[in-house]
Amino acid sequence: MSLLRFVVIAALPTFAMASLAAAQQLQVTESLSSLEEAARRDSNDAAAHYQLALAYWAKRRFDGAERSLRTAVTIERRFAPGYLALAYLPYARRRSLMKEEVKGRVPEEWRDRVEESWRLRRRAFLIDPLVDLRIIGAVIPLPAGILLTPGGLIINRDPFAAFLRGDYQFAYRTFNAVAAGYTGARRGSIPDGLLWYRGLSAGHVGAYDTAIADFSTLLARGVAREQADSVLHIPLKTNDYRYVLALFHTRANHFTDAINLYEEALGNDVGLFMAHVQMGRIYESRQMWPQAVDQFQRAVAANPDDPSLLLDLGAVLRAAGQLSEAEAALRRAMDGNPRDSRVPYHLAITLEEEHQFSEARATLSRFLALAPTRYRNQIAEARRRLAALQP
């Protein structure tokens, strides 16, 4: 079982719980017609298409939901909520699919969708391990009633339901209470699923010491299982733990520990391009430009079909003062994804710094034609620059 399957099915049987409630309904506050109009008006806004997809989903218009979600991730190639929603959409289309999957009885015509779902789930998680998981509650029945902890503590509100509703503070406090029931010699037997949920909840609320401790334990257990297996040494689940642990070290400003873990994760999976992105961001934040450029170049090499990586590379090259290289990378990014308005914004600034004022004006105009209305600050800045560049 991969690490991501804990998001769905792990840990729930570990505790004594009341019956499961129905899957929660998606909460959409705006009318479908207003969201359709917003997506037409801001046709290059991934977030607008995502909100429209949720409205279609709430009305069980799943073809429209899928179309809007795929549009969102086409516009913004690293839009983690879009990938996660696409991953769970098949389970909304076919309500029996999750039970069929658990029992190993997925109908043949649904097997490709299930496999794609796991790929999309992992992509969302690697893009952002702290991606909002509330969409899962739309397809998974949430625990209801009381939770009985191993220490006999009765909790009247279930942390799993809170976790999937996005109430991470309550989830974190309650998972802590559950873990406290494992005392003495039993403390080392805290289930993996509980460590996973508490660690992620801790990450969401900024309790990075707890998140690091829980994922360090998960990593150590994974390594031990691999070492005990003399035949199969494929560090899939373990490597995911390693990557998430590196992210929490990053958030805690433990940069050396984070970089060591990212490098180790890449040693097990050379295609883990997001590890290069994360290291690039660390070096960028410390203005270590040669190292930052190198990591973003490695990210592009590991995943050459993602134009958003070229955007990252172009931006850091410009910050490093390598303007011609930045221009080349950003032009490739714009060719690869002409709907991403962030690219002409960065390209225009690069062209301006190169004193290519005519091209800078044209590119700023292109940005203003593409930019979603929520990019208010960038739009205002682009208009200011455009006015200053008028001959």
Side-chain angles (χ1 to χ4, degrees), residues 188-383:
S189 64
I190 296 177
D192 285 2
L194 175 53
L195 291 172
W196 156 264
Y197 278 107
R198 185 177 70 169
L200 276 188
S201 299
H204 276 282
V205 301
Y208 297 124
D209 287 347
T210 300
I212 288 168
D214 286 351
F215 275 86
S216 293
T217 300
L218 289 169
L219 175 59
R221 289 178 181 179
V223 170
R225 282 192 289 266
E226 287 171 5
Q227 291 175 343
D229 188 338
S230 61
V231 178
L232 185 62
H233 296 284
I234 304 176
L236 294 177
K237 180 169 67 175
T238 302
N239 214 41
D240 288 342
Y241 289 141
R242 188 174 285 116
Y243 173 80
V244 178
L245 179 58
L247 177 103
F248 289 137
H249 276 294
T250 302
R251 297 290 180 92
N253 296 323
H254 304 160
F255 296 133
T256 299
D257 290 332
I259 287 171
N260 288 338
L261 285 163
Y262 286 131
E263 293 282 11
E264 192 174 349
L266 283 162
N268 291 303
D269 181 1
V270 295
L272 189 59
F273 70 95
M274 281 303 300
H276 289 300
V277 172
Q278 301 292 0
M279 285 192 286
R281 289 171 177 166
I282 290 174
Y283 289 127
E284 183 180 9
S285 70
R286 304 177 78 181
Q287 297 188 354
M288 298 171 67
W289 303 120
Q291 295 90 335
V293 168
D294 177 65
Q295 289 301 326
F296 284 115
Q297 287 174 332
R298 290 174 184 268
V300 171
N303 190 17
D305 295 329
D306 185 347
S308 68
L309 297 172
L310 288 165
L311 169 59
D312 290 338
L313 175 60
V316 79
L317 282 166
R318 177 171 59 81
Q322 298 175 234
L323 297 180
S324 61
E325 294 88 345
E327 179 188 346
L330 291 167
R331 288 193 184 280
R332 288 172 59 198
M334 196 155 60
D335 289 341
N337 187 5
R339 297 186 67 177
D340 189 341
S341 62
R342 298 171 300 174
V343 180
Y345 179 80
H346 286 278
L347 178 57
I349 295 173
T350 303
L351 291 166
E352 183 180 350
E353 291 181 4
E354 291 182 295
H355 299 132
Q356 298 186 44
F357 300 128
S358 177
E359 284 215 49
R361 288 195 298 270
T363 309
L364 284 169
S365 296
R366 174 170 178 161
F367 164 73
L368 290 170
L370 291 173
T373 54
R374 66 186 174 94
Y375 286 9
R376 293 179 182 85
N377 292 339
Q378 294 91 332
I379 289 170
E381 175 65 11
R383 287 174 174 161

